[in-house]
Coordinates of all heavy atoms in Angstrom, one line a residue:
M1 N -91.2 -27.6 -29.6 CA -89.8 -27.1 -29.6 C -89.1 -27.5 -30.9 O -88.7 -26.7 -31.6 CB -89.1 -27.7 -28.4 CG -87.8 -27.1 -28.1 SD -87.1 -27.5 -26.5 CE -85.9 -28.7 -27.0
S2 N -89.0 -28.8 -31.1 CA -88.4 -29.2 -32.4 C -89.4 -29.3 -33.5 O -90.6 -29.6 -33.3 CB -87.7 -30.5 -32.2 OG -88.7 -31.5 -31.9
Q3 N -88.9 -29.0 -34.7 CA -89.8 -29.0 -35.8 C -90.1 -30.5 -36.2 O -89.2 -31.3 -36.2 CB -89.2 -28.3 -37.0 CG -89.2 -26.8 -36.8 CD -88.6 -26.1 -38.0 OE1 -87.5 -26.4 -38.4 NE2 -89.3 -25.2 -38.6
S4 N -91.4 -30.8 -36.5 CA -91.7 -32.2 -36.8 C -91.3 -32.5 -38.3 O -91.1 -33.6 -38.6 CB -93.2 -32.4 -36.6 OG -93.9 -31.5 -37.5
Q5 N -91.2 -31.4 -39.1 CA -90.9 -31.7 -40.5 C -89.8 -30.7 -40.9 O -89.9 -29.5 -40.9 CB -92.1 -31.5 -41.3 CG -91.9 -32.0 -42.7 CD -93.2 -31.9 -43.5 OE1 -94.3 -32.1 -43.0 NE2 -93.1 -31.7 -44.8
Q6 N -88.6 -31.3 -41.3 CA -87.5 -30.5 -41.7 C -87.7 -30.1 -43.1 O -88.2 -30.9 -43.9 CB -86.2 -31.3 -41.5 CG -86.0 -31.8 -40.1 CD -85.3 -30.8 -39.2 OE1 -84.9 -29.8 -39.7 NE2 -85.1 -31.1 -38.0
T7 N -87.2 -29.0 -43.5 CA -87.2 -28.6 -44.9 C -85.8 -28.6 -45.5 O -84.8 -28.5 -44.7 CB -87.8 -27.2 -45.0 OG1 -87.0 -26.3 -44.2 CG2 -89.2 -27.1 -44.6
I8 N -85.7 -28.8 -46.7 CA -84.4 -28.9 -47.4 C -84.1 -27.5 -47.9 O -84.9 -26.7 -48.4 CB -84.5 -29.9 -48.6 CG1 -85.0 -31.2 -48.1 CG2 -83.2 -29.9 -49.4 CD1 -85.4 -32.2 -49.2
E9 N -82.8 -27.2 -47.8 CA -82.3 -25.9 -48.3 C -82.7 -25.7 -49.8 O -82.5 -26.6 -50.6 CB -80.8 -25.8 -48.2 CG -80.3 -25.8 -46.8 CD -80.5 -24.5 -46.1 OE1 -80.7 -23.5 -46.7 OE2 -80.6 -24.5 -44.8
P10 N -83.3 -24.6 -50.2 CA -83.8 -24.4 -51.6 C -82.7 -24.6 -52.6 O -82.9 -25.2 -53.6 CB -84.2 -22.9 -51.5 CG -84.6 -22.6 -50.1 CD -83.6 -23.5 -49.3
W11 N -81.5 -24.1 -52.3 CA -80.4 -24.3 -53.3 C -80.1 -25.8 -53.5 O -79.7 -26.2 -54.6 CB -79.2 -23.5 -52.9 CG -78.5 -24.0 -51.6 CD1 -78.7 -23.6 -50.4 CD2 -77.6 -25.1 -51.5 NE1 -78.0 -24.3 -49.5 CE2 -77.2 -25.2 -50.1 CE3 -76.9 -26.0 -52.4 CZ2 -76.3 -26.2 -49.7 CZ3 -76.0 -26.9 -51.9 CH2 -75.7 -27.0 -50.6
L12 N -80.2 -26.5 -52.4 CA -79.9 -27.9 -52.5 C -81.0 -28.7 -53.2 O -80.8 -29.5 -54.0 CB -79.7 -28.5 -51.1 CG -79.4 -30.0 -50.9 CD1 -78.2 -30.4 -51.7 CD2 -79.3 -30.4 -49.5
R13 N -82.2 -28.3 -52.8 CA -83.4 -28.9 -53.4 C -83.4 -28.8 -54.9 O -83.8 -29.7 -55.6 CB -84.7 -28.3 -52.8 CG -86.0 -28.9 -53.3 CD -86.1 -30.3 -52.9 NE -87.3 -30.9 -53.5 CZ -87.3 -31.4 -54.8 NH1 -86.2 -31.3 -55.5 NH2 -88.3 -31.9 -55.3
G14 N -82.9 -27.6 -55.4 CA -82.9 -27.4 -56.8 C -82.0 -28.3 -57.7 O -82.3 -28.5 -58.8
I15 N -81.0 -28.8 -57.0 CA -80.0 -29.6 -57.8 C -80.2 -31.1 -57.6 O -79.5 -31.9 -58.2 CB -78.6 -29.2 -57.5 CG1 -78.3 -29.4 -56.0 CG2 -78.3 -27.8 -57.9 CD1 -76.8 -29.2 -55.6
L16 N -81.2 -31.4 -56.7 CA -81.3 -32.9 -56.4 C -82.0 -33.6 -57.6 O -82.9 -33.1 -58.2 CB -82.2 -33.0 -55.2 CG -81.6 -32.5 -53.9 CD1 -82.6 -32.7 -52.8 CD2 -80.3 -33.3 -53.6
R17 N -81.5 -34.7 -57.9 CA -82.0 -35.6 -59.0 C -82.0 -37.0 -58.5 O -81.2 -37.4 -57.6 CB -81.2 -35.5 -60.2 CG -81.2 -34.1 -61.0 CD -82.6 -33.9 -61.6 NE -82.6 -32.6 -62.3 CZ -82.9 -31.5 -61.8 NH1 -83.2 -31.4 -60.5 NH2 -83.0 -30.4 -62.5
C18 N -82.9 -37.8 -59.1 CA -82.9 -39.2 -58.7 C -81.6 -39.8 -59.2 O -81.2 -39.7 -60.3 CB -84.1 -39.9 -59.5 SG -84.1 -41.6 -59.3
P19 N -80.9 -40.5 -58.3 CA -79.6 -41.1 -58.6 C -79.7 -42.3 -59.6 O -78.8 -42.7 -60.2 CB -79.1 -41.7 -57.2 CG -80.3 -41.9 -56.4 CD -81.3 -40.8 -56.9
Q20 N -80.9 -42.8 -59.8 CA -81.1 -43.9 -60.7 C -81.4 -43.5 -62.1 O -80.8 -44.0 -63.0 CB -82.2 -44.8 -60.1 CG -82.5 -46.1 -61.0 CD -83.1 -47.2 -60.2 OE1 -82.5 -48.0 -59.5 NE2 -84.4 -47.2 -60.3
C21 N -82.3 -42.5 -62.2 CA -82.7 -42.1 -63.6 C -82.4 -40.7 -63.9 O -82.7 -40.2 -65.0 CB -84.2 -42.4 -63.8 SG -85.3 -41.2 -62.9
K22 N -81.9 -40.0 -62.9 CA -81.5 -38.5 -63.0 C -82.8 -37.7 -63.3 O -82.6 -36.5 -63.8 CB -80.5 -38.3 -64.2 CG -79.3 -39.2 -64.1 CD -78.5 -39.1 -62.8 CE -77.3 -40.0 -62.8 NZ -76.7 -40.1 -61.5
G23 N -83.9 -38.2 -62.9 CA -85.1 -37.5 -63.1 C -85.4 -36.5 -61.9 O -84.7 -36.6 -60.9
E24 N -86.4 -35.7 -62.1 CA -86.7 -34.7 -61.0 C -87.4 -35.5 -59.8 O -88.2 -36.4 -60.1 CB -87.6 -33.6 -61.5 CG -86.8 -32.7 -62.4 CD -87.5 -31.4 -62.6 OE1 -88.3 -30.9 -61.7 OE2 -87.4 -30.8 -63.7
L25 N -87.1 -35.0 -58.7 CA -87.8 -35.6 -57.5 C -88.9 -34.7 -57.0 O -88.8 -33.5 -57.0 CB -86.7 -35.7 -56.4 CG -85.6 -36.7 -56.7 CD1 -84.4 -36.5 -55.8 CD2 -86.1 -38.1 -56.7
V26 N -89.9 -35.4 -56.5 CA -91.1 -34.7 -56.0 C -91.1 -34.7 -54.4 O -90.9 -35.8 -53.9 CB -92.4 -35.3 -56.5 CG1 -93.6 -34.6 -56.0 CG2 -92.3 -35.3 -58.0
D27 N -91.4 -33.6 -53.8 CA -91.5 -33.6 -52.4 C -92.7 -34.4 -51.9 O -93.8 -34.2 -52.5 CB -91.7 -32.1 -51.9 CG -90.4 -31.4 -52.0 OD1 -89.4 -31.6 -51.3 OD2 -90.3 -30.5 -53.0
A28 N -92.5 -35.2 -50.9 CA -93.7 -36.0 -50.5 C -93.5 -36.2 -49.0 O -92.5 -35.9 -48.4 CB -93.7 -37.4 -51.2
V29 N -94.6 -36.7 -48.4 CA -94.5 -37.0 -46.9 C -95.0 -38.5 -46.8 O -96.0 -38.9 -47.3 CB -95.4 -36.1 -46.1 CG1 -95.5 -36.5 -44.7 CG2 -94.9 -34.7 -46.2
H30 N -94.3 -39.2 -46.0 CA -94.6 -40.6 -45.7 C -95.1 -40.7 -44.3 O -94.3 -40.4 -43.4 CB -93.4 -41.5 -46.0 CG -93.8 -43.0 -45.8 ND1 -92.9 -43.8 -45.1 CD2 -94.8 -43.7 -46.1 CE1 -93.5 -45.0 -45.0 NE2 -94.6 -45.0 -45.7
A31 N -96.3 -41.2 -44.1 CA -96.8 -41.3 -42.7 C -96.5 -42.6 -42.1 O -97.3 -43.5 -42.0 CB -98.3 -41.1 -42.8
A32 N -95.3 -42.7 -41.6 CA -94.9 -43.8 -40.7 C -95.5 -45.2 -41.1 O -96.1 -45.8 -40.3 CB -95.2 -43.5 -39.3
G33 N -95.3 -45.6 -42.3 CA -95.8 -46.9 -42.7 C -95.1 -48.1 -42.2 O -95.6 -49.2 -42.1
E34 N -93.8 -47.9 -41.8 CA -93.0 -49.0 -41.4 C -93.5 -49.8 -40.2 O -93.6 -51.0 -40.2 CB -91.6 -48.5 -41.0 CG -90.9 -47.7 -42.1 CD -90.5 -48.5 -43.3 OE1 -90.4 -49.7 -43.2 OE2 -90.3 -47.8 -44.4
H35 N -94.0 -49.0 -39.2 CA -94.5 -49.7 -38.0 C -96.0 -49.6 -37.9 O -96.5 -49.9 -36.8 CB -93.8 -49.1 -36.8 CG -92.3 -49.1 -36.9 ND1 -91.5 -50.2 -36.8 CD2 -91.4 -48.1 -37.1 CE1 -90.3 -49.9 -36.9 NE2 -90.1 -48.6 -37.2
A36 N -96.6 -49.3 -38.9 CA -98.1 -49.1 -38.9 C -98.8 -50.4 -38.7 O -98.3 -51.5 -39.2 CB -98.6 -48.4 -40.1
D37 N -99.8 -50.4 -38.0 CA -100.6 -51.6 -37.8 C -101.3 -51.9 -39.1 O -102.1 -51.1 -39.6 CB -101.6 -51.4 -36.6 CG -102.5 -52.6 -36.3 OD1 -102.5 -53.6 -37.2 OD2 -103.1 -52.6 -35.3
P38 N -101.1 -53.1 -39.7 CA -101.7 -53.4 -40.9 C -103.2 -53.5 -40.9 O -103.9 -53.3 -41.9 CB -101.1 -54.8 -41.3 CG -100.6 -55.3 -40.0 CD -100.2 -54.1 -39.2
S39 N -103.8 -53.6 -39.7 CA -105.2 -53.7 -39.6 C -105.8 -52.3 -39.4 O -107.0 -52.1 -39.4 CB -105.6 -54.6 -38.4 OG -105.2 -54.0 -37.2
A40 N -105.0 -51.3 -39.2 CA -105.5 -49.9 -39.0 C -106.1 -49.4 -40.3 O -105.6 -49.6 -41.4 CB -104.3 -49.0 -38.6
T41 N -107.2 -48.7 -40.1 CA -107.9 -48.1 -41.3 C -107.2 -46.8 -41.6 O -106.4 -46.3 -40.9 CB -109.3 -47.8 -40.9 OG1 -109.3 -46.8 -39.9 CG2 -110.1 -49.0 -40.5
A42 N -107.5 -46.3 -42.8 CA -106.9 -45.0 -43.2 C -107.3 -43.9 -42.3 O -106.5 -43.0 -42.0 CB -107.4 -44.7 -44.6
E43 N -108.4 -44.1 -41.7 CA -108.9 -43.0 -40.8 C -108.1 -43.1 -39.5 O -107.6 -42.0 -39.0 CB -110.4 -43.3 -40.4 CG -111.1 -42.1 -39.9 CD -112.6 -42.4 -39.8 OE1 -113.3 -42.2 -40.8 OE2 -113.1 -42.8 -38.7
T44 N -107.8 -44.3 -39.0 CA -107.0 -44.4 -37.8 C -105.6 -43.9 -38.1 O -105.0 -43.2 -37.3 CB -106.9 -45.9 -37.4 OG1 -108.2 -46.4 -37.2 CG2 -106.1 -46.1 -36.1
A45 N -105.0 -44.3 -39.2 CA -103.7 -43.9 -39.6 C -103.6 -42.4 -39.6 O -102.5 -41.8 -39.2 CB -103.3 -44.5 -40.9
A46 N -104.6 -41.7 -40.1 CA -104.6 -40.3 -40.3 C -104.5 -39.6 -38.9 O -103.8 -38.6 -38.8 CB -105.8 -39.8 -41.0
T47 N -105.2 -40.2 -37.9 CA -105.2 -39.5 -36.6 C -103.9 -39.8 -35.8 O -103.6 -39.1 -34.9 CB -106.4 -40.1 -35.8 OG1 -106.4 -41.5 -35.8 CG2 -107.7 -39.6 -36.4
T48 N -103.2 -40.9 -36.2 CA -102.0 -41.2 -35.5 C -100.7 -40.9 -36.3 O -99.6 -41.2 -35.9 CB -102.0 -42.7 -35.2 OG1 -102.1 -43.5 -36.4 CG2 -103.1 -43.1 -34.2
A49 N -100.9 -40.2 -37.4 CA -99.8 -39.9 -38.3 C -99.0 -38.7 -37.8 O -98.8 -37.7 -38.6 CB -100.3 -39.7 -39.7
T50 N -98.6 -38.8 -36.6 CA -97.8 -37.7 -36.1 C -96.3 -37.8 -36.4 O -95.5 -37.0 -36.1 CB -98.0 -37.5 -34.5 OG1 -97.7 -38.8 -34.0 CG2 -99.4 -37.1 -34.2
T51 N -95.9 -39.0 -36.8 CA -94.5 -39.3 -37.1 C -94.3 -39.3 -38.6 O -93.4 -40.0 -39.1 CB -94.1 -40.6 -36.5 OG1 -95.0 -41.6 -36.9 CG2 -94.1 -40.6 -35.0
A52 N -95.0 -38.5 -39.3 CA -94.8 -38.4 -40.8 C -93.4 -37.9 -41.1 O -92.9 -37.0 -40.4 CB -95.9 -37.5 -41.4
T53 N -92.8 -38.6 -42.1 CA -91.5 -38.2 -42.4 C -91.4 -37.7 -43.9 O -92.2 -38.1 -44.7 CB -90.5 -39.4 -42.4 OG1 -91.1 -40.5 -43.1 CG2 -90.4 -39.9 -40.9
A54 N -90.6 -36.7 -44.1 CA -90.4 -36.1 -45.4 C -89.6 -37.1 -46.3 O -88.8 -37.9 -45.8 CB -89.7 -34.8 -45.3
E55 N -89.9 -37.1 -47.5 CA -89.1 -37.9 -48.5 C -89.2 -37.3 -49.8 O -90.0 -36.4 -50.1 CB -89.7 -39.3 -48.5 CG -91.1 -39.4 -48.9 CD -91.7 -40.9 -48.8 OE1 -91.1 -41.7 -48.1 OE2 -92.7 -41.1 -49.4
L56 N -88.3 -37.7 -50.7 CA -88.3 -37.2 -52.1 C -88.6 -38.4 -52.9 O -88.0 -39.4 -52.9 CB -86.9 -36.7 -52.4 CG -86.5 -35.4 -51.7 CD1 -85.1 -35.0 -52.0 CD2 -87.5 -34.2 -52.1
R57 N -89.7 -38.2 -53.7 CA -90.2 -39.3 -54.5 C -89.8 -39.2 -56.0 O -89.9 -38.1 -56.6 CB -91.7 -39.3 -54.4 CG -92.4 -40.6 -54.7 CD -93.9 -40.5 -54.5 NE -94.5 -39.6 -55.4 CZ -95.5 -38.8 -55.1 NH1 -96.0 -38.8 -53.9 NH2 -96.0 -38.0 -56.0
C58 N -89.5 -40.3 -56.6 CA -89.3 -40.3 -58.1 C -90.4 -41.2 -58.6 O -90.5 -42.4 -58.4 CB -87.9 -40.9 -58.4 SG -87.7 -41.1 -60.2
D59 N -91.3 -40.5 -59.4 CA -92.4 -41.3 -59.9 C -92.0 -42.2 -61.1 O -92.6 -43.2 -61.4 CB -93.5 -40.3 -60.4 CG -94.2 -39.6 -59.3 OD1 -94.3 -40.2 -58.2 OD2 -94.6 -38.4 -59.4
A60 N -90.9 -41.9 -61.7 CA -90.4 -42.7 -62.8 C -89.9 -44.0 -62.3 O -90.2 -45.1 -62.9 CB -89.3 -42.0 -63.6
C61 N -89.2 -44.0 -61.2 CA -88.6 -45.3 -60.6 C -89.5 -45.9 -59.6 O -89.3 -47.0 -59.1 CB -87.3 -45.0 -60.0 SG -86.1 -44.3 -61.1
H62 N -90.6 -45.1 -59.2 CA -91.4 -45.6 -58.1 C -90.6 -45.8 -56.8 O -90.7 -46.8 -56.1 CB -92.2 -46.9 -58.4 CG -93.1 -46.7 -59.6 ND1 -94.3 -46.0 -59.5 CD2 -93.0 -47.1 -60.9 CE1 -94.9 -46.0 -60.7 NE2 -94.1 -46.6 -61.5
L63 N -89.7 -44.9 -56.5 CA -88.9 -44.9 -55.4 C -89.0 -43.6 -54.6 O -89.2 -42.6 -55.2 CB -87.4 -45.1 -55.7 CG -87.0 -46.5 -56.3 CD1 -85.5 -46.4 -56.8 CD2 -87.2 -47.6 -55.3
A64 N -89.0 -43.7 -53.3 CA -89.0 -42.6 -52.4 C -87.8 -42.6 -51.5 O -87.6 -43.5 -50.8 CB -90.3 -42.6 -51.6
Y65 N -87.1 -41.5 -51.6 CA -85.8 -41.4 -50.8 C -86.1 -40.7 -49.5 O -86.7 -39.6 -49.5 CB -84.8 -40.6 -51.6 CG -84.5 -41.3 -53.0 CD1 -85.2 -41.0 -54.1 CD2 -83.5 -42.3 -53.0 CE1 -84.9 -41.6 -55.3 CE2 -83.3 -43.0 -54.2 CZ -84.0 -42.6 -55.4 OH -83.8 -43.3 -56.6
P66 N -85.6 -41.2 -48.4 CA -85.8 -40.6 -47.1 C -85.1 -39.3 -46.9 O -84.0 -39.1 -47.5 CB -85.3 -41.7 -46.1 CG -84.3 -42.4 -46.9 CD -84.7 -42.4 -48.3
V67 N -85.7 -38.4 -46.1 CA -85.0 -37.2 -45.8 C -84.8 -37.2 -44.3 O -85.7 -37.2 -43.5 CB -85.8 -35.9 -46.1 CG1 -85.1 -34.7 -45.7 CG2 -86.1 -35.9 -47.6
E68 N -83.5 -37.3 -43.8 CA -83.2 -37.5 -42.4 C -82.6 -36.2 -41.9 O -81.5 -35.8 -42.3 CB -82.3 -38.7 -42.2 CG -82.9 -40.0 -42.7 CD -82.0 -41.2 -42.4 OE1 -80.9 -41.0 -42.0 OE2 -82.5 -42.3 -42.7
G69 N -83.3 -35.5 -41.0 CA -82.8 -34.3 -40.4 C -82.6 -33.2 -41.4 O -81.7 -32.4 -41.2
G70 N -83.5 -33.2 -42.4 CA -83.3 -32.2 -43.5 C -82.3 -32.5 -44.5 O -82.1 -31.8 -45.5
V71 N -81.7 -33.7 -44.4 CA -80.7 -34.1 -45.4 C -81.2 -35.3 -46.2 O -81.5 -36.3 -45.7 CB -79.4 -34.6 -44.7 CG1 -78.3 -35.0 -45.7 CG2 -78.8 -33.5 -43.8
P72 N -81.4 -35.1 -47.5 CA -81.9 -36.1 -48.3 C -80.9 -37.2 -48.5 O -79.7 -37.0 -48.8 CB -82.2 -35.4 -49.7 CG -81.4 -34.2 -49.7 CD -81.2 -33.8 -48.2
V73 N -81.4 -38.5 -48.4 CA -80.5 -39.6 -48.5 C -80.8 -40.2 -49.9 O -81.7 -41.1 -50.0 CB -80.7 -40.7 -47.4 CG1 -79.8 -41.8 -47.6 CG2 -80.5 -40.0 -46.0
L74 N -80.1 -39.8 -50.9 CA -80.4 -40.3 -52.2 C -79.6 -41.6 -52.6 O -78.7 -41.6 -53.4 CB -80.0 -39.2 -53.2 CG -80.9 -37.9 -53.0 CD1 -80.5 -36.9 -54.1 CD2 -82.4 -38.2 -53.1
L75 N -80.0 -42.6 -51.9 CA -79.4 -43.9 -52.1 C -80.5 -44.9 -52.5 O -81.4 -45.1 -51.8 CB -78.7 -44.4 -50.9 CG -77.4 -43.6 -50.4 CD1 -76.9 -44.1 -49.1 CD2 -76.3 -43.6 -51.5
V76 N -80.3 -45.5 -53.7 CA -81.3 -46.4 -54.2 C -81.5 -47.6 -53.1 O -82.7 -48.0 -52.9 CB -80.9 -47.0 -55.5 CG1 -81.9 -48.1 -56.0 CG2 -80.8 -45.9 -56.6
D77 N -80.5 -48.0 -52.5 CA -80.6 -49.1 -51.5 C -81.5 -48.7 -50.3 O -82.0 -49.6 -49.7 CB -79.2 -49.5 -51.0 CG -78.4 -50.2 -52.1 OD1 -79.0 -50.7 -53.1 OD2 -77.2 -50.4 -51.9
L78 N -81.5 -47.5 -50.0 CA -82.3 -47.0 -48.9 C -83.7 -46.5 -49.2 O -84.4 -46.0 -48.4 CB -81.5 -46.0 -48.1 CG -80.2 -46.5 -47.5 CD1 -79.5 -45.3 -46.7 CD2 -80.4 -47.6 -46.5
A79 N -83.9 -46.4 -50.5 CA -85.2 -45.9 -51.0 C -86.3 -46.9 -50.7 O -86.2 -48.1 -50.7 CB -85.1 -45.6 -52.5
R80 N -87.5 -46.3 -50.5 CA -88.7 -47.1 -50.3 C -89.5 -47.2 -51.6 O -89.6 -46.2 -52.3 CB -89.6 -46.3 -49.3 CG -90.9 -47.0 -48.9 CD -91.6 -46.2 -47.8 NE -92.1 -44.9 -48.3 CZ -93.3 -44.8 -49.0 NH1 -94.0 -45.8 -49.2 NH2 -93.6 -43.6 -49.4
R81 N -89.9 -48.4 -51.9 CA -90.6 -48.6 -53.2 C -92.1 -48.1 -53.0 O -92.7 -48.3 -51.9 CB -90.7 -50.0 -53.6 CG -89.3 -50.6 -53.9 CD -89.4 -51.9 -54.8 NE -90.1 -51.6 -56.0 CZ -89.4 -51.2 -57.1 NH1 -88.2 -51.0 -57.1 NH2 -90.1 -51.0 -58.2
T82 N -92.6 -47.4 -54.0 CA -93.9 -46.8 -53.8 C -94.9 -47.5 -54.7 O -96.1 -47.1 -54.8 CB -93.9 -45.3 -54.2 OG1 -93.4 -45.1 -55.5 CG2 -93.0 -44.5 -53.2
D83 N -94.5 -48.5 -55.4 CA -95.4 -49.2 -56.4 C -96.0 -50.5 -55.8 O -96.5 -51.3 -56.5 CB -94.7 -49.4 -57.7 CG -93.5 -50.4 -57.5 OD1 -93.2 -50.7 -56.4 OD2 -93.0 -50.8 -58.5
G84 N -96.0 -50.6 -54.5 CA -96.6 -51.7 -53.9 C -95.8 -52.4 -52.9 O -96.2 -53.3 -52.2
Ligands
ZN1 ZN1 -85.8 -42.1 -60.8

């Protein structure tokens, strides 16, 4: 019934920039790492990754900004670090 993955409006997506470096953002999907079992293997995670969330990633800053309900939250404070 409800879509598992929201998409961002094309016009909005086109003007989005990283708030920290003003660089371009890359569409990405984050597979529920927050509550993932640390002992789970990649194989296990793949089969249970039904709660994957969309995010916008900045490779320059190694930050990934969450997309909530199709609305990108471009706040550095809420971004997830992707470099470890
Ligand atoms: Zn950036």
Side-chain angles (χ1 to χ4, degrees):
M1 191 167 101
S2 62
Q3 289 181 305
S4 60
Q5 193 173 329
Q6 304 273 357
T7 54
I8 301 167
E9 296 285 335
W11 66 267
L12 177 61
R13 180 65 187 82
I15 60 174
L16 294 178
R17 291 291 183 273
C18 172
Q20 182 157 276
C21 73
K22 309 303 180 191
E24 287 196 32
L25 295 166
V26 180
D27 289 287
V29 174
H30 180 226
E34 307 290 341
H35 305 288
D37 184 344
S39 66
T41 63
E43 203 170 273
T44 305
T47 55
T48 58
T50 52
T51 53
T53 54
E55 61 186 16
L56 292 172
R57 199 178 66 214
C58 176
D59 288 330
C61 300
H62 298 288
L63 291 174
Y65 301 92
V67 178
E68 297 181 355
V71 180
V73 183
L74 298 183
L75 295 174
V76 176
D77 287 347
L78 296 180
R80 180 178 67 84
R81 294 199 63 87
T82 60
D83 60 352

